[in-house]
Every structure is written in structure tokens, then in C-alpha cells.
Amino acid sequence: KQEVTQIPAALSVPEGENLVLNCSFTDSAIYNLQWFRQDPGKGLTSLLLIQSSQREQTSGRLNASLDKSSGRSTLYIAASQPGDSATYLCAAPDDDNYGQNFVFGPGTRLSVLP
Amino acid sequence: NAGVTQTPKFQVLKTGQSMTLQCAQDMNHEYMSWYRQDPGMGLRLIHYSVGAGITDQGEVPNGYNVSRSTTEDFPLRLLSAAPSQTSVYFCASSYGSEGNTEAFFGQGTRLTVV
């Protein structure tokens, strides 16, 4: 069964810093990997989906990379802003249904200080 | 563009009561699923469906029932609520294409069982 871990568990940075969030998964035979953002008391918002054939995806100040061979993905946030404060979740598929059953990591709680 | 809609947003139940959490999506997605999110446990898969008339169990199915009579709707039934079912419940949907299966989540239902 797929297992997903994320480090660090929490991160506090001053505004403007570039930062990296890490995600590790045990089963590298994945179809894709997805990063989500969750604000307190809210639902999950999809940030980036990386298909297994891709090495990275970019959306604005966000860049996610995927290294299947090492079982790792990173989410890079450039020029962080207070509005980036949230919990970031990494999700890797379990072993069936074309990657539609996700196993989630515990999340990284990010605080960006003005 | 509603996406995935969950109702109710909040609910308090007494032990032993039953209820149905509603989930509807307007994206014509084949795949739908239910997760629960608990502190320290992350999100865990309860039940999922790959299309109308087809459902299957996830990681934590006990105490829950599902059916899928239409593509749009995937209700989750609590048969006899227990305090251990106090949690935040998320419904998700995605399009069934190998690798390109971006998941969209509802805003969640916060359930308390007393």
C-alpha cells in the first residue's frame, strides 16, 4: 500500500522568501501526483497535477517536480506572500483505478509572515 | 460552475442516529469518492465509485454505506452514528483517464456525533 510523508510538518518564513516543501512516496509505480492547498476550515484546492510522464509542472509562482525513481516530489514556492499561508497536501495514487484513489500525506503547515 | 457541492456544511448528530451526506458534481466525472479527515490521521478513503451503479470500499468503510444511481450524485450514509465518526468529510470527483486524473474536492461537511 502506498505511503506518503511530507517534511517539514510546519514552516514559518518571512514574506518574500523562496521555499521548498517535500513529499515522499513508497510506491513509485504511480500514474500521477497531485498537490493541494487547504485553508483552515476549508476544502482542498488543487494546485498542480504532475503526470508520471512529466518531471515538473508550473503555475504562477508554484513549481512542482516529480522524481519517480527516488519516490520524491517537491513544491517550490517563489517569493512567498502572506496569502500563501495554508496547509499544503501531497497526494499519490494507490495502486488501482488509474490513480484515482489517493493516499494523502499529513501536510505541511505554512505561515508566511508580513 | 459549481464543481463539487456538499451538503450540509455542518451537522450535529446524537449517537445512534442515521443521516445522509449529500455530494453532487456537475462536471460529468465518472469517478467519485468520499474521504474523512481527522487530526493526526490525514485524509482516508471511505468509499469510491467508478461510475453509476458501481461502488467499492476504501480504507475505512465500516459504518458507512454508499450508492451511485446517477453520474452526478454520490451520497454517503451513516447507518448508526458513533462518536468515532466525528470528522470532516470530503467528497471528490475526477475524470477517468489514465494519468490525467485531477481530483476536485467539495468544501467538506463537519460532523459532530455526541
Side-chain angles (χ1 to χ4, degrees):
Chain A
K1 182 175 165 24
Q2 181 74 269
E3 294 181 10
V4 179
T5 55
Q6 291 185 247
I7 56 171
L11 184 62
S12 183
V13 300
E15 181 177 6
E17 277 205 3
N18 302 324
L19 54 98
V20 175
L21 308 181
N22 297 290
C23 171
S24 296
F25 49 93
T26 56
D27 184 355
S28 61
I30 58 173
Y31 290 100
N32 55 44
L33 184 137
Q34 196 164 355
W35 282 92
F36 294 88
R37 167 185 173 140
Q38 185 175 29
D39 293 287
K42 302 295 185 182
L44 281 71
T45 300
S46 176
L47 295 174
L48 290 164
L49 171 73
I50 313 174
Q51 298 183 45
S52 60
S53 58
Q54 301 171 322
R55 290 190 63 85
E56 64 178 57
Q57 276 279 24
T58 298
S59 176
R61 295 182 293 107
L62 305 179
N63 176 277
S65 66
L66 176 63
D67 184 345
K68 288 180 57 178
S69 62
S70 66
R72 293 180 182 178
S73 176
T74 61
L75 179 66
Y76 176 82
I77 302 177
S80 59
Q81 303 171 357
D84 294 329
S85 298
T87 297
Y88 291 80
L89 299 167
C90 163
D94 214 337
D95 59 358
D96 57 4
N97 288 303
Y98 297 110
Q100 298 187 82
N101 286 346
F102 286 104
V103 177
F104 284 81
T108 293
R109 190 171 64 255
L110 173 66
S111 297
V112 181
L113 307 174
Chain B
N1 188 10
V4 180
T5 303
Q6 291 184 236
T7 56
K9 289 184 170 54
F10 302 93
Q11 183 70 48
V12 178
L13 284 180
K14 293 182 179 179
T15 297
Q17 286 186 318
S18 62
M19 79 160 294
T20 299
L21 280 62
Q22 302 291 345
C23 176
Q25 53 94 5
D26 61 359
M27 296 173 283
N28 202 32
H29 286 168
E30 298 172 352
Y31 184 86
M32 297 184 73
S33 55
W34 278 100
Y35 292 83
R36 59 179 287 174
Q37 185 177 35
D38 302 292
M41 301 292 293
L43 281 93
R44 293 177 293 169
L45 182 66
I46 306 172
H47 284 286
Y48 64 95
S49 169
V50 299
I54 306 169
T55 63
D56 207 344
Q57 296 180 352
E59 180 184 358
V60 287
N62 292 340
Y64 306 96
N65 201 3
V66 293
S67 60
R68 183 95 177 270
S69 57
T70 67
T71 300
E72 295 78 17
D73 299 299
F74 190 43
L76 178 72
R77 297 182 187 85
L78 279 68
L79 307 174
S80 177
S84 61
Q85 294 179 304
T86 294
S87 187
V88 181
Y89 291 86
F90 289 101
C91 178
S93 75
S94 61
Y95 176 73
S97 174
E98 183 175 338
N100 187 21
T101 53
E102 184 175 5
F104 296 86
F105 281 75
Q107 288 300 299
T109 295
R110 284 153 183 80
L111 175 68
T112 301
V113 182
V114 298

